[in-house]
Amino acid sequence: MGALRLSCLVPLLWLMGCGGPSDPVIQRQFFAFGTLIEVTVADVPPEIAEPAIEAIEMRFHALHRQWHPWEPGPLGDLNLAFREGAAGPMHPSIATLLDRARPLAEASGQLFNPAIGALVRLWGFHDPETLHGPPPEPERIRELLDPFPTIEAIEIQDGMARSTLPGLQLDFGAVAKGVAVDEAIALLRRHGAPHGIVNAGGDLRAIGRRGDRPWRIGIRHPRQAEVLASLEVAGDLAVFTSGDYERFYEYEGKRYHHILDPRTGSPAAGITSVTVVTEEAATADAAATALFVAGPEHWPEVAARLKIRDALVMDRQGVAQLTPGMKQRIRFELDPPPPVVLRPLP
Ligand code: AMP
Ligand code: MG
């Protein structure tokens, strides 16, 4: 979460190029995946935009139910079966998620690892009710990482899934929103709407243009309620951010956040937010998480392995680390801008 579509009501940004009041833009909001989803459609009449948005809303609600790891439903039931050491039915939409996630998990060296659901639960990041300290005992963390869980441990046969590792739990929270946004964009196009944005709580994919101008996207500052930078999108691009401010608690003066390093079992240190820009939302989502976990030194190596060219990393020192591609794309809106370090990809 972290990209905001810049509102045309902000005077400065209006001057910077938002459309006028006659812009034919239709916008709807609804809640799904625990966040506000906003769909914006440009340049088509309501007869096309409205059914497209309705289809997207229904799809988001269905996916929310199917992909929730801890509530009754296809994924929640499968996790329950795994906890009991049993096999469970592999729902087609979970199979789709697994297929999307597998190459990303592998390319990231399992820094993006949807098989660490039990660890997420142990830390309490799965439920607002358990979002408090103290952090888990190191011994309990170690138990969940040895043997190391990956989605490769899941065997599927005749429509049934079984885990070869006891206690493996699936949590697609780091990629599901991206996969859903990609599906929503496909729905927009199928309904004949080639210009629009699907924004899931600040993570978005934009296609086409807004009238005769590109879409203008804001990236939020990880520590201030302000726009850090902006970029223009004309064509088809996803902008996804992972940040330590999205879900966290403080315990004895220390911040514990929801992006866990599967190598240590604890919150990944050294970065406050990562924004990735690439074509597909699923890739952008998983990559933002993976780069966050890789840390302030090594993230360019992981970006290269995931074929991400455009990334912005805000490190703990407040330095904006940028790939050369991202430097071309963004403009800092903060005054003064943060210190910048260029990080070429290996
Ligand atoms: P995101 O906001 O996309 O970075 O996703 C964070 C969410 O994904 C967390 O709330 C967890 O449910 C889950 N998660 C945390 N750490 C990881 C990780 N290293 N790999 C995969 N999923 C993770
Ligand atoms: Mg993610």
Side-chain angles (χ1 to χ4, degrees):
M1 199 193 287
L4 338 151
R5 207 176 64 77
L6 297 183
S7 164
C8 292
L9 297 175
V10 180
L12 171 70
L13 302 169
W14 194 86
L15 289 174
M16 277 166 40
C18 278
S22 62
D23 248 2
V25 164
I26 295 171
Q27 200 165 56
R28 296 282 176 274
Q29 300 181 331
F30 56 90
F31 274 94
F33 287 100
T35 190
L36 185 69
I37 314 286
E38 184 184 72
V39 183
T40 307
V41 182
D43 277 350
V44 291
E47 307 86 84
I48 290 184
E50 300 287 359
I53 296 173
E54 188 135 323
I56 289 172
E57 180 169 359
M58 282 170 58
R59 189 73 187 134
F60 263 95
H61 291 317
L63 293 178
H64 175 89
R65 197 190 78 84
Q66 290 168 10
W67 293 349
H68 199 294
W70 317 120
E71 285 175 6
L75 186 58
D77 295 351
L78 191 60
N79 274 337
L80 189 63
F82 288 170
R83 286 205 288 282
E84 291 168 348
M90 176 51 76
H91 190 278
S93 91
I94 311 296
T96 304
L97 258 187
L98 263 178
D99 290 343
R100 290 297 284 114
R102 195 174 290 115
L104 294 164
E106 196 189 318
S108 77
Q110 304 296 335
L111 299 184
F112 157 68
N113 183 351
I116 60 166
L119 193 64
V120 175
R121 259 174 85 111
L122 176 68
W123 277 90
F125 292 121
H126 64 302
D127 180 356
E129 300 277 303
T130 55
L131 206 54
H132 55 72
E137 295 294 327
E139 184 51 36
R140 305 268 324 270
I141 293 174
R142 267 196 300 275
E143 278 166 18
L144 293 180
L145 293 175
D146 188 17
F148 189 73
T150 74
I151 49 180
E152 302 306 327
I154 294 168
E155 290 177 344
I156 303 166
Q157 210 175 20
D158 303 326
M160 297 294 281
R162 174 185 297 281
S163 167
T164 56
L165 283 184
L168 184 145
Q169 296 282 279
L170 293 169
D171 172 358
F172 292 98
V175 72
K177 236 201 288 173
V179 181
V181 166
D182 284 334
E183 281 202 23
I185 290 292
L187 276 171
L188 270 189
R189 289 191 166 131
R190 221 174 297 147
H191 278 77
H195 305 282
I197 296 184
V198 178
N199 179 346
D203 293 323
L204 58 86
R205 179 166 164 185
I207 54 169
R209 310 171 71 83
R210 181 192 174 108
D212 57 1
R213 299 181 177 97
W215 296 106
R216 205 157 171 66
I217 311 296
I219 298 168
R220 108 165 233 193
H221 194 287
R223 287 291 180 271
Q224 301 165 28
E226 280 186 74
V227 176
L228 168 67
S230 68
L231 70 154
E232 291 187 347
V233 176
D236 183 356
L237 276 181
V239 184
F240 271 64
T241 299
S242 281
D244 70 355
Y245 51 84
E246 291 175 51
R247 202 174 268 212
F248 67 94
Y249 58 78
E250 278 178 17
Y251 186 78
E252 295 183 345
K254 194 168 166 355
R255 174 191 287 238
Y256 297 92
H257 66 81
H258 69 141
I259 303 171
L260 301 175
D261 185 337
R263 297 166 297 190
T264 63
S266 294
I271 288 177
T272 51
S273 75
V274 176
T275 302
V276 168
V277 180
T278 190
E279 281 77 17
E280 275 186 316
T283 307
D285 194 354
T289 308
L291 267 52
F292 193 111
V293 174
E297 305 301 325
H298 297 288
W299 67 265
E301 297 150 35
V302 179
R305 284 211 298 270
L306 285 161
K307 301 195 166 51
I308 300 296
R309 286 190 315 116
D310 301 337
L312 159 64
V313 169
M314 291 299 287
D315 69 25
R316 283 284 292 279
Q317 279 69 44
V319 175
Q321 301 189 18
L322 288 168
T323 60
M326 196 67 156
K327 185 162 189 280
Q328 299 288 314
R329 261 193 206 289
I330 62 163
R331 179 159 94 189
F332 285 104
E333 300 291 346
L334 211 62
D335 186 22
V340 169
V341 171
L342 209 57
R343 299 291 308 268
L345 296 176

